[in-house]
Amino acid sequence: MSLDTANTTGFAAVDQEELKRARAARRERLGRWLLPLLVMALAVLVWNRVVVWNDIPKYILPGPVLVVSTLIHDAGILFPALLVTLEITLMALAVAVIGGAGLAILFTQNRWIEMSFYPFAVILQVTPVVSIAPLIFIYVDNRLVGLLLCAWLVAFFPVLSNTTLGLRSADHNLRDMFQIYGATRWQRLRYLQIPSALPYFLGGLRIAGGLSLIGAVVAEYVAGTGGIGSGLAFRILEAGYRLNIPRMYAGLLLIALTGVTIFGVLSFLSHLLLHKWHESAVKRET
Amino acid sequence: MAVQRRAIQPLGQRPRVLQMADVDKSFNGGVVALRQMSLDVHEGDFISLLGPSGCGKSTALRLLAGLSSPTSGRIAWEDPHGAGDLSVVFQEPTLMPWATVAQNVWLPFRLKGMRYDQVKDEVLEVLRLVGLEKFAGAYPRELSGGMKMRVSIARALVTNPRLILMDEPFAALDEITRHKLNQDLLELKAKIGCTIVFVTHSVFESVFLSDRVVVMAARPGRVIREFTIDAPYPRSEAYRTSADYAAQCRAASDALYQAMGEAA
């Protein structure tokens, strides 16, 4: 009888612990979304109060309400500009992916090519793009090509270095096995190295997504005013000259939102491709 | 069907598959990994290379696999058309984590340019043989260590190669799983009639599994004894507790101690 009770309480204790763990997990899931939102809301509220209570003029610090209403009011100017910036960003990202992954494959196929060219990739990466950009715009007539080139310079390196690392990190026993089964170089690349490199590549892609937006914006600043099809950075610059501070904030908000969206989309893509097999995307039971 | 039964002849009447004759292997820096190693592999053999670490047993396996070539001596296949028709099971299951169990087993065929639907029957048949037909669509991370090793063995069997090389495949498993897989491997071998060269540092495993044990010593790696285990197949768990098994193990242990003593 006493043994029975002991047993039951024993089981109940385990259940309590499991329940506690489940509650904690639920709280954490909720907190992950709720806490940043709360902090954000609080910050916006403080911003609003500071502006209202201190009667700060809008040409020094516009309040959040004014920024949002400017965003809506100036949508006709800002959204076409956003499209231009987005276009350059996505094109640069695409070229960075093709160029970075392509170079990585070339590097891993032939060590001599890697030895010859890798140092130059590093040089291009470590030289600040603002210092190269003016030269690019002198030599390259086409504005779009110039912008693309700048954004690409910033964005391709993480793809290149991560993919190179990934292509090399294929399990050596699997390599031996491919050799024993007489796999061709192409088969080894296709069935072994590229799948092994995928998680690394996707990590690089997430960094490159943010960097290509930065590259596009910086390039626009350097390219300066003038010309049709001007992007967000140009609009912010222009608003600055006119002391239209609310529009500067609205443009800034749009750029930040764009960056967050790109990161979110790429993270989702990474999850889609990896969640079935890769450790980073697998949920553990304990 | 790829998985067919080949009749196993008694020891001494088996046709030779492969001959390793007076093979030396040294590496850059002057390390002699193998000295004067000779080994005849016959069809249906279960040979264990037994020895302490550093005795060159894995080097010997890599030479047999054609992953490296001997410094001197020769490795010759009896039938030149069948040269290199082999598969390997490593200590790690060595599965592709991004591919399902069936896709992993399909790999040897895939590298020969065969589509999955051409060889689906063979793949499922061999998965049934290792008891994993229900897991064809699972990913390796969903399997236990023993199950992963079964997949690895299934992949080695699926093309029905002339020679299967195993490099301490069960060393990382717990004892109960290891005994179960030892047993299953013998059953599979009886069904299929394959030829196995098995590297191990466990006396008990080598005696339980093989009909020939080759004892090796280290520095330089070389063969110091070779003996046959006469106990008839099928060997069951009962064999593990028999006096005959104990005696064979003692003999192998003595040889191994001698090997380690010489090296030290």
Side-chain angles (χ1 to χ4, degrees):
Chain A
M1 186 63 202
S2 61
L3 199 72
D4 275 349
T5 12
N7 255 343
T8 349
T9 42
F11 279 122
V14 170
D15 279 356
Q16 277 302 322
E17 192 186 308
E18 280 304 300
L19 278 174
K20 223 165 112 185
R21 184 179 297 174
R23 272 202 303 273
R26 241 193 336 268
R27 269 204 304 273
E28 200 180 306
R29 266 202 304 279
L30 206 64
R32 190 156 293 170
W33 287 99
L34 213 55
L35 285 180
L37 284 179
L38 271 177
V39 171
M40 176 81 86
L42 201 68
V44 171
L45 187 73
V46 170
W47 173 15
N48 179 271
R49 287 300 91 192
V50 166
V51 171
V52 171
W53 284 337
N54 296 317
D55 235 350
I56 299 176
K58 68 176 182 185
Y59 54 83
I60 291 180
L61 179 64
V65 180
L66 180 61
V67 170
V68 173
S69 71
T70 309
L71 186 60
I72 295 165
H73 186 256
D74 290 352
I77 296 166
L78 289 176
F79 277 91
L82 171 67
L83 279 184
V84 171
T85 303
L86 207 56
E87 195 187 329
I88 290 166
T89 302
L90 293 183
M91 279 166 77
L93 184 60
V95 182
V97 165
I98 296 166
L103 271 180
I105 287 174
L106 209 64
F107 281 1
T108 46
Q109 293 306 299
N110 190 325
R111 271 206 89 76
W112 298 106
I113 297 180
E114 180 180 5
M115 279 190 251
S116 312
F117 291 103
Y118 192 77
F120 296 99
V122 174
I123 291 170
L124 282 179
Q125 168 65 19
V126 296
T127 313
V129 71
V130 267
S131 58
I132 314 178
L135 283 173
I136 290 177
F137 285 108
I138 288 173
Y139 294 124
V140 179
D141 273 342
N142 189 317
R143 202 178 123 85
L144 180 74
V145 173
L147 289 174
L148 255 182
L149 204 59
C150 291
W152 178 77
L153 274 181
V154 183
F156 90 100
F157 192 76
V159 178
L160 170 69
S161 69
N162 270 29
T163 312
T164 308
L165 182 66
L167 288 169
R168 284 198 200 299
S169 66
D171 184 276
H172 67 277
N173 280 336
L174 272 172
R175 270 173 191 272
D176 284 349
M177 190 159 289
F178 271 65
Q179 192 186 334
I180 286 168
Y181 287 129
T184 60
R185 179 183 276 246
W186 164 246
Q187 282 177 324
R188 197 179 64 203
L189 181 68
R190 163 86 181 75
Y191 298 133
L192 177 62
Q193 289 179 292
I194 288 180
S196 302
L198 189 63
Y200 295 81
F201 165 77
L202 289 168
L205 182 65
R206 255 195 297 190
I207 302 170
L211 284 182
S212 51
L213 179 64
I214 293 174
V217 169
V218 169
E220 271 181 44
Y221 271 109
V222 176
T225 54
I228 351 137
S230 305
L232 265 182
F234 167 70
R235 288 300 174 199
I236 291 175
L237 221 53
E238 181 196 50
Y241 294 144
R242 297 178 184 176
L243 278 182
N244 189 345
I245 310 296
R247 191 188 285 172
M248 288 179 83
Y249 271 88
L252 186 61
L253 182 65
L254 266 188
I255 289 181
L257 286 177
T258 308
V260 171
T261 310
I262 290 173
F263 185 81
V265 168
L266 293 179
S267 298
F268 183 64
L269 177 75
S270 169
H271 174 78
L272 275 188
L273 290 173
L274 299 182
H275 76 282
K276 278 197 177 138
W277 64 274
H278 197 252
E279 284 298 328
S280 69
V282 171
K283 281 203 180 71
R284 291 267 157 226
E285 302 220 325
T286 48
Chain B
M1 188 99 322
V3 183
Q4 300 169 324
R5 197 197 145 85
R6 289 198 200 101
I8 298 178
Q9 306 294 322
L11 273 173
Q13 297 171 29
R14 298 174 181 169
R16 191 161 64 193
V17 178
L18 179 80
Q19 186 183 35
M20 197 177 188
D22 305 321
V23 165
D24 278 2
K25 178 72 186 174
S26 41
F27 294 116
N28 277 344
V31 179
V32 181
L34 273 184
R35 178 174 291 168
Q36 292 293 303
M37 177 159 178
S38 296
L39 180 72
D40 280 9
V41 181
H42 299 92
E43 196 176 295
D45 277 356
F46 198 132
I47 301 173
S48 283
L49 304 183
L50 173 67
S53 32
C55 72
K57 50 195 195 300
S58 291
T59 306
L61 210 69
R62 288 183 68 83
L63 287 169
L64 288 175
L67 288 170
S68 63
S69 35
T71 311
S72 68
R74 64 191 189 93
I75 294 171
W77 287 71
E78 209 59 25
D79 173 7
H81 298 296
D85 178 17
L86 57 87
S87 60
V88 181
V89 179
F90 294 102
Q91 183 175 345
E92 306 295 325
T94 314
L95 303 175
M96 302 178 288
W98 55 84
T100 62
V101 165
Q103 287 168 338
N104 267 291
V105 176
W106 168 38
L107 179 74
F109 285 127
R110 191 182 203 182
L111 294 177
K112 288 191 172 79
M114 290 158 103
R115 290 194 320 274
Y116 183 68
D117 51 328
Q118 284 177 291
V119 293
K120 192 177 166 215
D121 290 345
E122 279 90 338
V123 170
L124 294 180
E125 162 81 11
V126 80
L127 282 177
R128 197 181 54 72
L129 276 177
V130 299
L132 286 177
E133 70 271 37
K134 289 202 185 84
F135 292 88
Y139 284 86
R141 65 168 185 85
E142 300 169 73
L143 308 179
S144 68
M147 288 157 95
K148 282 184 206 165
M149 194 42 85
R150 283 168 194 275
V151 178
S152 191
I153 291 172
R155 177 180 54 194
L157 293 176
V158 75
T159 52
N160 199 21
R162 283 165 202 243
L163 178 61
I164 297 174
L165 305 173
M166 298 184 144
D167 192 358
E168 304 196 32
F170 308 139
L173 301 174
D174 65 84
E175 185 154 347
I176 294 171
T177 311
R178 186 159 64 237
H179 283 187
K180 178 83 177 83
L181 281 175
N182 282 168
Q183 189 71 50
D184 291 354
L185 182 60
L186 285 186
E187 275 170 29
L188 277 174
K189 185 171 180 299
K191 262 185 211 151
I192 301 165
C194 48
T195 308
I196 298 177
V197 175
F198 191 97
V199 162
T200 180
H201 57 244
S202 159
V203 168
F204 307 106
E205 197 169 54
S206 67
V207 173
F208 183 73
L209 290 173
S210 36
D211 42 24
R212 274 167 66 203
V213 176
V214 176
V215 183
M216 298 178 71
R219 280 174 291 268
R222 64 205 184 279
V223 175
I224 58 159
R225 277 259 334 254
E226 192 175 333
F227 52 89
T228 54
I229 309 285
D230 298 322
Y233 295 101
R235 295 172 188 169
S236 62
E237 282 301 313
Y239 176 58
R240 263 189 218 285
T241 49
S242 69
D244 183 28
Y245 177 68
Q248 298 275 19
C249 285
R250 202 170 312 126
S253 281
D254 289 345
L256 190 60
Y257 275 119
Q258 189 196 341
M260 294 172 79
E262 276 182 21

